[in-house]
């Protein structure tokens, strides 16, 4: 069953409509093909997750409607190794120009190649996100000869391809009389692509090349499986070969002369195929990722995001925004607000008050056509969990005590996996000087300097602790103490004077409890500190 009652409900439904009808026109009765492409040339940036999530959501909707649909994830692992990133032994420079699958993994890796090293964490993240896909290694495709006919076609049609490319060449890049070949061999001797094709014969398919290393040979292209089509030909070749009906791409692919534009012409003129439906997706930014958290370089990856937020929440970010809308993924304090929004949506879903588009995005986030994603049985607010693990420094007994006071939680498992994400966020994203340290001993100097008013306020607080020992109760208590001191009822509307008194009272409590002017929300902090320790620290 599809997510939405109406196919007009959200962007995913509208694309699914379009793709299903286009697939029926192009290849009736065949499985529908959606595609993504990723390069394992380095850590896969979290922003590139949109390349996968956009077709995933559309393919998932198509499957929910009962159609057969495959999501191909093409790994461009036969691309050349371009440069040695900072932090890797400069000796890796000798591998520049080799296919990514022929370059050794970075030092210390358990994987057998550069490509495998960077694929693995992305594949693990996609599994955690519930993304169903069929992985294709371009190394396997090219070296097995899968594209042999397509390569021979491209070589036969090289003048036509050259003419299409020429429409977009600027004067400066026009090469005088150099023969154009859309195929680049990897050198038999040095494995690098520093090769130049010097001659090609269509009838015999004999291809001669020389390499910058000094090597040269003549091969029969009809038998040669060590080279690849240039990118602008490779992409449309694969659209035709796989029968891709939907493949989005980033804004950088859509300028004049770019691979998408040129490919759209080549796929028909050379391969007799059609360009996929291909929305251009906007940039996804990251806010506030702390340097310390990325163990895999300075690049935030989907795995990093999944350490601090649950899979449904990350899915939701992509489901609720059209591909053309850019958005940011928060690693800073904003993540707490994001989670507030997510919980508010969950409540609206539960009581049936949300809009159809909101409901569609929610359903796409929490389950796929195949399975439900893990949910936290007892979803305590993320900001509350963050405060608790901050104050308790993750001590499980203390954490369970506070959660039990807060809510009827009897096992930490009830609060997981959200609890673990909040813990990870505090540990990796909140700077040491922003962490909360509850005082071990009372601040005798400050306590000794207090006037009668302040002492009375603290006494009122302490007297009310047991009766108000819940998040709501303590909220009423801390706001109520200054009102009662001013002769008002605890539930009276505060006057401007009372508001000033509340601010002063809160600042005093923060100073006495954590030695700073601010901290986590006071009711959460009080629960986290525990009634006995509160009594000790406020000196009453
Ligand atoms: Zn060579």
């Amino acid at each position: 069953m599809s997510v939405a009652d109406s196919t007009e409900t959200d962007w995913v439904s509208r694309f699914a409509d379009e793709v299903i009808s286009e697939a029926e026109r192009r290849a009736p009765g065949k499985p529908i093909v959606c595609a993504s492409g990723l390069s394992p040339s380095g850590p896969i940036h979290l922003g590139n997750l949109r390349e996968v999530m956009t077709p995933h959501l559309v393919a998932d909707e198509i499957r929910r409607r009962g159609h057969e649909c495959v999501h191909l994830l093409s790994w461009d692992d036969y691309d050349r190794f371009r440069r040695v990133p900072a932090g890797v032994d400069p000796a890796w420079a000798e591998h520049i120009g080799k296919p990514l699958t022929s370059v050794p993994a970075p030092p210390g890796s358990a994987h057998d190649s550069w490509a495998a090293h960077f694929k693995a964490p992305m594949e693990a993240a996609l599994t955690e996100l519930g993304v169903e896909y069929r992985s294709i290694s371009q190394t396997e495709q090219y070296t097995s000869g899968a594209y042999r006919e397509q390569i021979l076609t491209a070589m036969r049609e090289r003048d036509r391809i050259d003419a299409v490319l020429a429409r977009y060449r600027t004067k400066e890049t026009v090469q005088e009389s150099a023969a154009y070949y859309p195929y680049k061999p990897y050198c038999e001797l040095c494995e690098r692509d520093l090769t130049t094709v010097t001659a090609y014969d269509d009838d015999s398919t004999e291809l001669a090349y020389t390499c910058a290393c000094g090597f040269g040979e003549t091969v029969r292209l009809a038998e040669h499986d060590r080279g690849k089509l240039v990118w602008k030909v490779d992409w449309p070749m694969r659209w035709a070969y796989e029968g891709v009906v939907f493949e989005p791409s980033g804004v950088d692919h859509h300028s004049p002369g770019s691979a998408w534009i040129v490919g759209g012409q080549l796929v028909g003129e050379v391969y007799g195929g059609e360009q996929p439906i291909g929305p251009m997706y906007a940039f996804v930014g990251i806010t506030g990722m702390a340097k310390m958290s990325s163990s895999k370089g300075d690049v935030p990856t989907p795995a990093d995001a999944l350490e601090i937020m649950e899979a449904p929440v990350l899915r939701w970010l992509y489901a609720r925004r059209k591909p053309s809308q850019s958005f940011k993924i928060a690693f800073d304090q904003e993540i707490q607000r994001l989670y507030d929004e997510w919980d508010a949506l969950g409540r609206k879903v539960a009581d049936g008050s949300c809009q159809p588009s909101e409901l569609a995005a929610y359903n796409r986030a929490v389950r796929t056509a195949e399975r439900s994603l893990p949910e936290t049985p007892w979803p305590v607010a993320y900001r509350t969990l963050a405060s608790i693990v901050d104050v308790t420094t993750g001590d499980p007994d203390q954490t369970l005590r506070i959660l039990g006071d807060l809510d009827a939680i009897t096992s930490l498992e009830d609060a997981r996996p959200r609890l673990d994400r909040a813990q990870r966020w505090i540990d990796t994203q909140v700077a040491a000087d922003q962490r909360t340290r509850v005082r071990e001993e009372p601040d005798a100097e400050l306590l000794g300097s207090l006037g009668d008013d302040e002492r009375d306020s603290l006494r009122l607080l302490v007297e009310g602790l047991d009766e108000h020992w819940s998040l709501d109760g303590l909220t009423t208590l801390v706001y109520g103490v200054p009102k009662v001191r001013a002769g008002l009822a605890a539930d009276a509307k505060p006057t401007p004077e009372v508001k000033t008194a509340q601010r002063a009272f809160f600042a005093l409590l923060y100073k006495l409890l954590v030695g700073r002017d601010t901290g986590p929300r006071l009711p959460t902090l009080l629960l986290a500190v525990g009634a006995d320790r509160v009594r000790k620290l406020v000196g009453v």
Side-chain angles (χ1 to χ4, degrees):
M1 202 189 121
S2 68
V3 156
D5 295 335
S6 156
T7 56
E8 295 298 310
T9 302
D10 68 350
W11 68 266
V12 183
S13 284
R14 288 191 294 271
F15 273 123
D17 289 347
E18 203 184 329
V19 172
I20 289 168
S21 111
E22 191 60 21
E24 279 167 3
R25 186 183 70 73
R26 292 187 188 187
K30 295 232 178 99
I32 298 169
V33 180
C34 300
S36 304
L38 289 174
S39 168
S41 58
I44 315 284
H45 194 284
L46 176 53
N48 287 352
L49 185 55
R50 205 167 206 175
E51 170 72 27
V52 182
M53 287 308 292
T54 306
H56 162 67
L57 291 165
V58 172
D60 183 61
E61 171 65 18
I62 292 171
R63 284 196 286 263
R64 288 183 201 233
R65 295 187 193 178
H67 298 268
E68 209 182 327
C69 181
V70 285
H71 178 185
L72 301 179
L73 172 52
S74 186
W75 287 102
D76 291 322
D77 55 10
Y78 206 44
D79 285 4
R80 74 194 302 259
F81 181 58
R82 290 177 185 280
R83 63 191 156 78
V84 184
V88 173
D89 188 340
W92 257 250
E94 70 170 280
H95 303 296
I96 289 174
K98 292 182 188 173
L100 293 165
T101 38
S102 296
V103 177
S109 169
H111 296 279
D112 63 5
S113 77
W114 191 269
H117 177 80
F118 291 108
K119 264 189 209 181
M122 185 64 176
E123 289 179 323
L126 292 177
T127 299
E128 189 174 342
L129 282 164
V131 177
E132 283 283 322
Y133 62 93
R134 186 187 301 160
S135 188
I136 294 182
S137 157
Q138 290 307 324
T139 299
E140 284 173 21
Q141 294 292 95
Y142 273 105
T143 58
S144 70
Y147 299 143
R148 180 161 299 133
E149 285 308 316
Q150 286 71 20
I151 291 169
L152 294 175
T153 300
M155 286 298 268
R156 202 163 49 239
E157 300 290 332
R158 59 189 178 277
D159 290 342
R160 192 197 291 260
I161 294 170
D162 194 31
V164 169
L165 295 175
R167 289 174 208 160
Y168 300 98
R169 275 188 199 123
T170 56
K171 284 204 175 85
E172 297 81 64
T173 59
V174 171
Q175 292 164 353
E176 292 297 320
S177 72
Y180 171 79
Y181 298 105
Y183 179 82
K184 193 142 180 94
Y186 280 109
C187 174
E188 176 68 24
L189 184 67
C190 74
E191 292 183 80
R192 294 175 295 172
D193 71 344
L194 310 176
T195 55
T196 306
V197 174
T198 53
Y200 181 68
D201 179 68
D202 285 301
D203 294 332
S204 65
T205 80
E206 279 188 355
L207 176 145
Y209 73 85
T210 56
C211 177
C213 76
F215 185 79
E217 67 173 338
T218 299
V219 297
R220 271 194 72 225
L221 191 54
E223 296 163 349
H224 188 253
D225 297 324
R226 205 170 277 115
K228 72 185 290 287
L229 293 170
V230 298
W231 162 238
K232 285 181 182 177
V233 181
D234 171 270
W235 201 15
M237 179 277 286
R238 288 193 265 136
W239 292 337
Y241 182 86
E242 309 286 3
V244 178
V245 183
F246 184 77
E247 181 170 2
S249 52
V251 61
D252 49 325
H253 284 312
H254 286 252
S255 56
S258 66
W260 175 261
I261 304 295
V262 171
Q265 298 181 29
L266 295 181
V267 68
E269 292 187 32
V270 176
Y271 291 110
E274 289 185 73
Q275 190 167 37
I277 294 165
M280 182 168 78
Y281 55 78
F283 184 70
V284 175
I286 315 295
T287 59
M289 185 177 167
K291 277 263 189 288
M292 56 187 163
S293 73
S294 188
S295 52
K296 308 119 210 149
D298 288 333
V299 176
T301 65
D304 290 324
L306 287 169
E307 286 188 350
I308 61 165
M309 67 181 76
E310 295 158 89
V313 177
L314 187 52
R315 289 176 63 87
W316 180 55
L317 292 175
Y318 289 89
R320 69 175 175 158
R321 300 268 184 253
K322 289 180 205 144
S324 57
Q325 292 176 298
S326 64
F327 65 89
K328 287 181 173 168
I329 299 177
F331 279 71
D332 55 11
Q333 302 285 333
E334 276 295 298
I335 192 174
Q336 303 186 98
R337 225 177 46 136
L338 169 72
Y339 255 97
D340 289 344
E341 262 186 86
W342 170 248
D343 287 344
L345 175 61
R347 287 190 293 274
K348 284 167 82 177
V349 170
D351 70 18
S353 67
C354 63
Q355 300 295 317
S357 61
E358 293 176 310
L359 181 60
Y362 181 84
N363 285 330
R364 298 189 195 294
V366 298
R367 72 185 73 91
T368 67
E370 293 78 27
R371 65 181 174 103
S372 291
L373 284 115
E375 283 180 271
T376 299
W378 209 299
V380 175
Y382 189 92
R383 64 171 71 247
T384 305
L385 291 174
S387 294
I388 293 170
V389 294
D390 179 23
V391 170
T392 64
T393 60
D395 179 271
D397 294 337
Q398 279 196 63
T399 301
L400 182 59
R401 172 185 63 75
I402 298 163
L403 285 173
D405 285 348
L406 189 75
D407 232 328
I409 285 178
T410 54
S411 158
L412 290 183
E413 288 311 310
D414 294 343
R416 287 187 166 125
R418 188 183 287 194
L419 173 64
D420 302 319
R421 303 296 182 272
Q423 174 83 61
R424 185 75 185 155
W425 180 69
I426 286 285
D427 289 346
T428 63
Q429 302 298 325
V430 179
D433 63 359
Q434 298 298 313
R435 297 286 302 269
T436 305
R437 291 280 165 261
V438 180
R439 295 185 60 93
E440 293 293 329
E441 294 298 327
D443 185 343
E445 194 181 331
L446 177 56
L447 286 170
S449 73
L450 298 180
D452 288 344
D453 266 9
E454 289 162 314
R455 286 178 188 284
D456 285 346
S457 295
L458 293 173
R459 191 171 300 114
L460 273 176
L461 175 86
V462 165
E463 285 168 5
L465 283 181
D466 290 342
E467 188 192 333
H468 293 88
W469 200 250
S470 69
L471 209 52
D472 286 346
L474 290 170
T475 304
T476 305
L477 181 64
V478 295
Y479 283 92
V481 164
K483 292 182 199 169
V484 172
R485 294 280 309 136
L488 300 170
D491 58 356
K493 203 171 168 348
T495 60
E497 293 75 27
V498 165
K499 284 185 178 171
T500 305
Q502 284 170 337
R503 276 194 295 274
F505 182 51
F506 297 166
L508 173 62
L509 285 175
Y510 281 123
K511 273 254 187 290
L512 289 170
L513 296 173
V514 298
R516 300 163 36 144
D517 292 333
T518 59
R521 291 179 176 183
L522 267 177
T524 312
L525 178 63
L526 291 167
L527 279 175
V529 173
D532 289 343
R533 199 159 167 202
V534 171
R535 287 189 191 96
K536 177 181 161 192
L537 292 176
V538 304
V540 183

